[in-house]
Structures are given as C-alpha cells and as structure tokens.
Amino acid sequence: MIDPRGRRGTSWDAPFLFLVVIHAASGPGCFAADAPNIVFVIADDLGWNDVGFHGSNQVPTPNIDALAYNGIILNSHYVQPTSSPSRASLFTGKYAIKLGMQGSSLLPGEKRSLPEGKLMPEYFKELGYSTYLVGKWHLGYSKWNETPTFRGFDHHYGFYNGHTSYFDYVGTKTYDGIDYHGFDMRRDGVPSFEDAGHYATDAFTDYSVRVIQEHDTSKPLFLMLTHLAVHAGNTGKLLEAPQEAIDKLRHIEDANRRTYAAMVTKLDESLGTLVETLESKKMLQNTVIVFITDNGAATVAPQFKNWGSNYPLRGVKNTLFEGGIRSVAFIYSPLLIQSGRVSKDLMHITDWLPTLYTAANGDIANLGPEIDGIDQWASMVYDLPSPRNDILLNINEKTRNAALRFYNWKLIVGTSMNGTYNDYYGEAVMGVISETSYNGSAVFDSKAGRVIRQVSYTPLTETEYLQLRAEARVARLDAKAKKNPCDPAGGEVCLYDIPNDPCEENDLAKYFPSVVRRMKRALVEYRKSLVPQLEEAVDIENAAPRLFGFTWNPWLDCKDAVCTIPV
C-alpha cells in the first residue's frame, strides 16, 4: 500500500500514529530486560559498488543483501573520509572538528588519541548492557587508559592500530627508512599470540559467536564488531584471503580484485553466521543489527590500496567526494515496523549514538546538548520524515578543504591530497569489471535469508528484492545530459544537486550563487567550533615494538616487555 508521501508500507490512522510516536520517543522505562540487543558491524574501506544491493553483480554478498533488503537500506548515510575520524564521530556523537580529529588517521607509535569524555559503550553500560568490542580500535593506545577496556568496553578482542596482517597479525610501519614490525592482536589487552594463523575475519566472527552463545540474556548485549576487512594489509601482501575463497571467484580476471572480492565474501559469511547464531540463541527478535563502512574504498592510493570500487561515485577514501564519504549502510531488526525499503533521507555517523540510545530506552537528554548526532529511531521504525536536513561533512584547516550537505545541495571547498584522486575509479582504473548475473536465489537461500523467513511475519519475495535493488542503485548522468565539470583542486567552489546528480558531474555553483553564499556562511559558523587538530607526534623511539616483546604496546606508562595492564 502507498501512503500519502508515496512510501510503501501500512497505512496509518494519523491520530493513532501520533500517539505511537510519542510513546516511542518517551520510552517505556529503562529496564535492561526490555532493551534490545545491539550488534554494530563496521566494514573497513568497503566500496559502494562492492555489495549486491547497490547493483554489483561481480562480488556475491547474499547475507548482506538479505539483511539490507529486509531492513532499511540507508542510501544517504555519510561518514568521515578516513578511519579514526569516523570512529571518533561514532563513539562521541560529535563532528570530528569538535574533537581535533578532523585530519588524518592515527599512526602506529603516535601519541594522539581520542580525547577524554564519555563514549558510546559507557552510555550503554549505564543502561545495563554488556559491552564488547571485537576487532579494530584505531583511537589511540599510547597509555593504557586510552585503550578499549578503559573507555567503556567490558571486553576487547582485536588490534589497536589501523590495520594488521590477516593471518600472522604483524603490523609494519616504516619511519625514516626503517621498518618496525609488531604483533597486534589482543584479548583484553594481553597479546594473543596463539591466534596467529587464524584468518582475521573468521577469528573475529568466531569470537563474536562465542560472545552471543555465552551471553546472559537477562542483560542486553552491545556488540561492536569492527572488522579488519577489507582494509589492505602490509606492503608486499596488501590483500589476503583463504585460497578456497579466492578460487570461487575465477570470473574476476584481475588477481588483486579477485582476492579483494574473496575478502568481501568472507565478510558476508560473517554476517550470515552472526544472524544464525542470534536466532539459535533466541535473541534475534529483540536485536538491532547495523552495518556500515567507515569510509569509501581505497581503489587507488599512495599506499594501502585495496582494489575496491566506489564506482559510479566520484573519488575514493580520503576525499570529500561521494566515493570517499557516502557509506554502504543498512539497519535490520524485527523491531522495525516499516522495513523493506530504501531510505534516501540524510543520515550521519554521529546519529547512531542518540538513535540507538533511544532504541535502548535511554533518555537522549543524558547525552548532553553538545552532541551533533540526531535521534532517527522513530523515523526508522515508522518511516517518518528524517529530522536531519544538513550535515557538516568535514572542515580540515590544514588542507584547507571542507564540505557540507544542506537538503539536496552539497558544497565542496578546496581539495584533498592536491586533487590527485578527484576522478572516477573502479571500472575506470581496473578496466571493465567482469560481471556475472545477479543471483537473487542465493540471497533468498542464504543463511540470513533463511533465518529472516523464519522470524518475519511478512518476509520479502525475490521479486521485491530486485525492486529494492533497482531503487538503491545510483547512476551517472546520461551521456547526452548537460554537464559542467568542477575540480576544486583548481580553486573552484563546487555545488551539486546530489539527489539528481549523485556522481557529482554537473557543477551548479554559477547558477545558484545565493545557495553557495548561504552554505559558505554555514561553514564559517561551523568553523567557530573547530578544535585545532591534535599534534601528530610519532614517538617511535619509545614505542618501538622491539621494546615490548615485538608487540605494538602502550608505552608512555610502560618501560619494558613485562609491562602489564593496570588493575
């Protein structure tokens, strides 16, 4: 049925809907047993064009697709252009500029860390949740009190730096021509050498499965699974996947792209296993699953390129074009009344803290007035208009570039990396990406697809999957359409109508000067709250892994390899 706003779903009586929404906003009381479990999954450097529900026929992602179709595909979900800034915004609900985290990601042996202040897991602990971080941290570890178990997580299994290798968990960083190698995999701060040889995606999935299986269901679970996949690893072995996974993708001609695709399929398997485990534990009906990527794929890069594809979006990781900051994202939960749809409403990574806090029956007044995130829970549950109409995409005072979304408009001022990666990548770099036909039956019969049919009163059909897939795709302008290229590297200010020009091909700045002026003024206002970027102080002489049993380890409050976690 079509409602008056043209959205698919149940027709609601207006007064009744008003009362329901008011009830949802106020919450039924903070009883832990009533609060939903939250499983928040972050893929690393996953490309827009590397999931089936956005139109890719090349990389099979049946479990991801099944969850996306049966949930809400978030087609206008924005993040920061790199990892640490995105995670900082997620955990705090604040724009990165308010934290001094708007620049580059943290490096191994660097003193920077996420500033002090209450983080997402701490808020959920106060609501009675058991909190777990599985996988990547990347928000500082020069001191023990900067590490996950001192920032609100009951347990952490994973690594501290931006990446490590997928099998041996050795992270390598080169400073002044010297390679520094260190083991980077821990269980609650203790190096987990015994896990070497276990493929990272599988290791994190297996740990998460045990967490769910052993969870005391009298308390709600907050599980954040932040995968290493599909970030590139160390120089010399950028991409790693089990050979049997690679061998299933022989239709992909480029060997690097094939390995990358295998890494994506392992990520997809992880989602299917998690959903299956939640259902076997009888937890799925009261669980909210969120899936996002922290930034766009690094199709090409000076280092750590991963052969992912953001095409047809423009740009890559590190840029403020859509390919760098428009994130693959969806939410799935049986608690969503109006699911099975594509949302094109604006959403920012900062919104997850207030949104999930409300879902957990928390009072968002407890989050304080300084957060930038907006509560979108009622909008998601009932398909109401989003309360967000603008997003500060970033201001980087060092590189002198910035971007802003305002309703349908996007303004870009300045450029990233001297404009080196302002073009279109994916197909444009790797040649025409070979495709197979999309296998809707594989989505329908995937682990996630089968489980969803068991728990859903109105499961979607394969035909409905294909309809949603078509709606979630974006495309470049027709070859005959008017285009006005804009390159901010040349000093131009670029203005785009994103809903009609998602691939940023037609600059409208000269046609709408009043819009440009208004958005520039908004950037000036945002600039007033900017905290200068934290000093990028690499202390490798004191942080060198050889000083700590060849591990990347907190060093400012440690002197040698026997340094232990303070009690």
Side-chain angles (χ1 to χ4, degrees):
M1 185 174 292
I2 303 297
D3 72 10
R5 291 178 293 114
R7 296 186 179 181
R8 189 175 66 85
T10 304
S11 178
W12 291 84
D13 177 76
F16 174 72
L17 175 58
F18 176 77
L19 292 173
V20 170
V21 173
I22 292 298
H23 174 72
S26 61
C30 295
F31 297 98
D34 296 332
N37 306 297
I38 295 170
V39 177
F40 200 108
V41 182
I42 305 178
D44 201 332
D45 291 8
L46 178 67
W48 177 270
N49 194 38
D50 294 327
V51 292
F53 71 82
H54 276 160
S56 173
N57 290 342
Q58 186 188 56
V59 184
T61 54
N63 293 287
I64 289 173
D65 293 358
L67 288 165
Y69 294 143
N70 287 279
I72 304 171
I73 297 172
L74 303 171
N75 245 31
S76 295
H77 180 274
Y78 286 90
V79 295
Q80 298 304 115
T82 56
S83 171
S84 295
S86 282
R87 293 162 205 273
S89 293
L90 172 65
F91 282 126
T92 64
K94 298 178 182 179
Y95 288 139
I97 67 165
K98 293 185 177 180
L99 305 164
M101 296 287 290
Q102 63 270 27
S104 60
S105 288
L106 276 61
L107 299 173
E110 191 177 350
K111 290 183 179 180
R112 278 191 301 162
S113 66
L114 184 62
E116 293 182 0
K118 189 180 290 187
L119 304 184
M120 179 184 280
E122 296 174 275
Y123 285 111
F124 283 90
K125 281 187 71 170
E126 291 178 349
L127 295 179
Y129 278 75
S130 298
T131 57
Y132 290 80
L133 175 65
V134 183
K136 179 173 175 173
W137 172 237
H138 207 195
L139 288 171
Y141 64 96
S142 64
K143 300 177 182 178
W144 282 115
N145 64 8
E146 298 168 355
T147 59
T149 53
F150 290 84
R151 301 301 305 264
F153 288 104
D154 294 323
H155 298 284
H156 172 230
Y157 172 61
F159 57 105
Y160 290 158
N161 284 307
H163 66 92
T164 188
S165 56
Y166 282 77
F167 284 102
D168 60 21
Y169 306 122
V170 173
T172 300
K173 183 63 181 175
T174 303
Y175 292 112
D176 297 325
I178 301 173
D179 290 337
Y180 294 85
H181 309 279
F183 186 80
D184 196 6
M185 176 65 92
R186 292 173 178 266
R187 292 176 185 260
D188 295 336
V190 178
S192 185
F193 297 110
E194 66 273 16
D195 288 318
H198 192 182
Y199 186 64
T201 304
D202 292 337
F204 296 143
T205 303
D206 292 347
Y207 183 91
S208 299
V209 165
R210 288 193 296 274
V211 167
I212 295 168
Q213 290 173 336
E214 298 171 8
H215 178 65
D216 178 1
T217 54
S218 66
K219 297 181 66 176
L221 173 66
F222 180 85
L223 171 61
M224 183 162 281
L225 173 53
T226 58
H227 276 289
L228 169 61
V230 284
H231 196 290
N234 296 316
T235 302
K237 52 176 180 178
L238 289 173
L239 306 179
E240 295 182 273
Q243 190 60 46
E244 60 269 22
I246 298 172
D247 289 343
K248 294 177 182 177
L249 300 167
R250 294 195 178 277
H251 64 279
I252 302 176
E253 297 178 11
D254 184 281
N256 290 306
R257 174 71 177 170
R258 189 186 314 135
T259 302
Y260 170 84
M263 294 160 68
V264 175
T265 63
K266 294 298 292 182
L267 184 67
D268 179 76
E269 290 175 10
S270 174
L271 267 292
T273 299
L274 287 179
V275 171
E276 202 172 51
T277 306
L278 286 165
E279 173 55 19
S280 68
K281 184 73 173 182
K282 304 304 178 187
M283 292 169 59
L284 184 60
Q285 286 283 23
N286 193 37
T287 294
V288 176
I289 298 174
V290 177
F291 179 89
I292 70 170
T293 183
D294 59 347
N295 44 250
T299 312
V300 292
Q303 54 182 187
F304 307 128
K305 67 177 181 178
N306 69 354
W307 284 266
S309 173
N310 304 307
Y311 197 83
L313 298 181
R314 185 177 180 183
V316 292
K317 174 183 178 178
N318 273 303
T319 74
L320 290 175
F321 287 108
E322 297 290 279
I325 56 174
R326 188 164 170 174
S327 163
V328 175
F330 67 79
I331 180 172
Y332 167 82
S333 176
L335 302 175
L336 298 172
I337 294 174
Q338 298 281 44
S339 58
R341 60 188 174 89
V342 177
S343 170
K344 298 179 181 179
D345 292 335
L346 289 180
M347 187 168 187
H348 189 249
I349 193 170
T350 56
D351 295 342
W352 287 113
L353 174 55
T355 297
L356 295 176
Y357 196 71
T358 294
N361 302 325
D363 181 354
I364 60 172
N366 296 332
L367 303 179
E370 67 277 7
I371 70 166
D372 299 294
I374 294 176
D375 176 15
Q376 305 228 30
W377 183 241
S379 299
M380 291 180 173
V381 173
Y382 304 110
D383 191 14
L384 298 174
S386 169
R388 181 179 280 284
N389 54 43
D390 73 300
I391 300 172
L392 174 65
L393 299 172
N394 203 33
I395 299 175
N396 189 321
E397 76 280 19
K398 289 188 176 181
T399 58
R400 304 177 69 85
N401 69 320
L404 176 72
R405 273 295 307 264
F406 181 68
Y407 290 94
N408 60 305
W409 299 109
K410 179 181 178 182
L411 184 77
I412 300 180
V413 180
T415 193
S416 309
M417 299 181 290
N418 298 315
T420 307
Y421 303 111
N422 288 353
D423 209 333
Y424 297 86
Y425 303 94
E427 277 88 341
V429 168
M430 294 180 281
V432 176
I433 293 182
S434 55
E435 302 273 2
T436 59
S437 59
Y438 186 66
N439 191 343
S441 297
V443 178
F444 194 74
D445 294 327
S446 65
K447 286 183 179 180
R450 292 195 300 269
V451 168
I452 289 169
R453 291 202 299 280
Q454 293 173 11
V455 302
S456 175
Y457 292 110
T458 55
L460 299 183
T461 65
E462 286 187 45
T463 299
E464 288 174 303
Y465 284 177
L466 296 178
Q467 292 171 344
L468 289 167
R469 184 173 188 253
E471 189 179 347
R473 299 182 74 162
V474 298
R476 297 186 66 172
L477 296 177
D478 185 89
K480 297 180 180 179
K482 182 178 179 181
K483 300 177 185 178
N484 184 31
C486 180
D487 185 359
E492 298 177 85
V493 173
C494 306
L495 180 71
Y496 300 104
D497 178 357
I498 293 299
N500 293 307
D501 179 22
C503 304
E504 298 166 297
E505 299 178 87
N506 187 29
D507 173 38
L508 299 173
K510 65 181 179 182
Y511 301 108
F512 296 92
S514 61
V515 174
V516 172
R517 287 194 298 271
R518 183 174 180 179
M519 294 181 75
K520 279 186 171 181
R521 286 197 296 269
L523 285 174
V524 170
E525 288 300 310
Y526 277 122
R527 181 70 169 76
K528 294 177 181 178
S529 63
L530 182 145
V531 174
Q533 291 178 45
L534 303 175
E535 187 64 30
E536 299 180 19
V538 175
D539 188 23
I540 194 61
E541 290 186 4
N542 295 310
R546 59 180 172 76
L547 301 175
F548 303 97
F550 293 95
T551 66
W552 292 104
N553 197 82
W555 68 95
L556 293 182
D557 47 11
C558 295
K559 294 182 179 179
D560 53 40
V562 298
C563 173
T564 57
I565 304 172
V567 178

